[in-house]
Amino acid sequence: MSEIEYPAIMNFDVPEHLKSRIIESDRLPSQYQPHHVPGTTVTYKEGPFGAYFKQEYACPNFVIGWLNFDIKEHVFLYPITQKPLLALYTGFDGDIPCELQGSAEKLMLPEKKFAFYYVPPMAFNRAEFAPGHYTSVYVSFSSSFMQMFASQHAEYKALVEKQLRGEQDGEQKNLILYSHEEKVIFKKMRSYEGDPSMYGPFMHGNVTLLTAHYFNHLLKRHQVPQTLLNACDYIQENLGEDISTTTIARKVGSHSLALNKLFKDNYGKNVRQYLTQKRLEEAEYRLKTTSELVWEIAAFTNLTDASHLVRLIRAKHGITPEEFREKHKLHQAG
């Protein structure tokens, strides 16, 4: 396998005037242990701006880099790669303005969305951080891995060719809001506790599944009216807010009656029913993956109160939220 077949690795450089004040380590300090991802190698940098750490798993087909930025003061960090990088990037917490060399305009690395990025090798790229905590993950692919997907999605063939040629123009392509299913995949990848010898196949299976999910979302978006897509994105981004059908319709340039008909025709539900479904999915996810109290989850998802969430869980699953959580724990243990 030639060198270009191996996936590239993304690093973040600090401004020149800070380099003499940076502490580096291959271990996570105790305060960041809750962010530990098993089976990865650690790159940790700390300085006046705060701290940045990357936890990385690498194999010939892909590299997974779990990123955390704990920023105390405004700073620019510089994403850099030694080889052409084609990656699926997902933001979990925090929006990061970014400039990629050759890109016509400043890009946003947004939270709750994922997209493909081409990053030129040894290029000037710059990410801007305000004080706060940011978490994200990138999956960098070998060209052979991506060629498999590009053969089924012709619009990505150009990105793969850019990677092969090592072109100097960066690019962001097709931002998509990630869903409950992707959250579950990421949760499994971050908390693997199985047989160490199966770690590689486990990651390969989940990365393949994640990439397939992305392209499946992309295919669906091509088949759905843009107004409906915009409404669904707005709903997903504002699940915890008190939003009405009128508000959503106004945000996407439609009217309540027309938007309800659009939802009915495509999903068999009106806007309010779809909104409740998405809030319930978020509540189910938090019951499975957090120790938050039922009333806290109901408040977070704006489901009126705990009794409303109890009724929804009972209607769908025939059990209480506590029983739903316990059932999931037993399923994981088994």
Side-chain angles (χ1 to χ4, degrees), residues 28-310:
L28 283 183
S30 58
Q31 69 267 31
Y32 295 123
Q33 283 301 318
H35 297 282
H36 171 67
V37 179
T40 59
T41 57
V42 174
T43 300
Y44 176 83
K45 294 183 179 182
E46 181 181 328
F49 67 90
Y52 148 69
F53 53 98
K54 177 179 65 171
Q55 299 175 86
E56 198 167 74
Y57 169 75
C59 71
N61 283 315
F62 54 82
V63 171
I64 307 172
W66 302 93
L67 309 174
N68 283 263
F69 304 88
D70 196 8
I71 306 299
K72 296 178 181 177
E73 58 184 49
H74 183 276
V75 68
F76 288 99
L77 298 178
Y78 302 94
I80 189 167
T81 175
Q82 300 295 319
K83 297 189 296 185
L85 179 144
L86 183 56
L88 184 61
Y89 172 93
T90 307
F92 299 128
D93 299 296
D95 296 329
I96 306 172
C98 186
E99 298 172 44
L100 291 183
Q101 179 170 300
S103 179
E105 57 187 21
K106 180 179 284 190
L107 305 174
M108 181 65 73
L109 306 179
E111 64 178 12
K112 300 180 182 178
K113 293 184 178 181
F114 59 156
F116 268 95
Y117 293 81
Y118 172 73
V119 181
M122 301 301 294
F124 177 81
N125 308 301
R126 186 169 73 167
E128 182 177 2
F129 293 87
H133 194 93
Y134 305 79
T135 60
S136 58
V137 63
Y138 78 89
V139 182
S140 167
F141 297 98
S142 68
S143 57
S144 59
F145 190 95
M146 275 307 300
Q147 281 171 341
M148 175 182 67
F149 285 98
S151 66
Q152 301 171 354
H153 302 273
E155 63 187 290
Y156 282 82
K157 183 178 179 181
L159 277 186
V160 176
E161 290 176 348
K162 290 181 78 167
Q163 180 191 28
L164 289 169
R165 292 193 297 262
E167 290 189 12
Q168 291 301 303
D169 292 341
E171 186 175 350
Q172 176 194 70
K173 195 165 181 68
N174 289 324
L175 271 170
I176 294 178
L177 195 71
Y178 68 72
S179 68
H180 170 75
E181 287 80 8
E182 287 79 61
K183 287 183 183 180
V184 172
I185 295 172
F186 284 125
K187 175 73 174 178
K188 290 178 179 178
M189 292 170 67
R190 293 184 72 164
S191 56
Y192 181 76
E193 296 180 350
D195 184 345
S197 67
M198 294 302 296
Y199 187 82
F202 176 83
M203 288 299 167
H204 189 281
N206 279 281
V207 166
T208 303
L209 182 60
L210 183 66
T211 312
H213 270 249
Y214 174 85
F215 284 117
N216 189 45
H217 282 302
L218 186 64
L219 180 63
K220 287 180 178 179
R221 289 181 77 88
H222 288 169
Q223 298 171 340
V224 174
Q226 190 61 46
T227 299
L228 184 59
L229 289 176
N230 292 342
C232 291
D233 284 353
Y234 182 78
I235 287 170
Q236 192 67 42
E237 292 170 351
N238 295 276
L239 287 178
E241 303 299 323
D242 186 16
I243 53 177
S244 65
T245 302
T246 302
T247 300
I248 298 166
R250 185 170 62 250
K251 286 290 183 180
V252 300
S254 183
H255 300 282
S256 298
L257 290 176
L259 193 61
N260 270 321
K261 183 176 186 307
L262 203 54
F263 270 81
K264 275 281 191 180
D265 290 345
N266 284 272
Y267 299 133
K269 300 177 176 65
N270 63 28
V271 175
R272 178 56 57 184
Q273 291 167 332
Y274 179 89
L275 176 58
T276 300
Q277 173 190 319
K278 292 302 173 182
R279 284 174 168 161
L280 178 57
E281 287 176 2
E282 179 66 24
E284 289 172 337
Y285 174 76
R286 301 186 81 82
L287 282 168
K288 292 176 182 179
T289 61
T290 76
S291 57
E292 294 170 345
L293 299 176
V294 172
W295 71 265
E296 291 176 315
I297 294 175
F300 182 88
T301 55
N302 204 358
L303 282 170
T304 310
D305 53 30
S307 61
H308 187 196
L309 177 54
V310 170

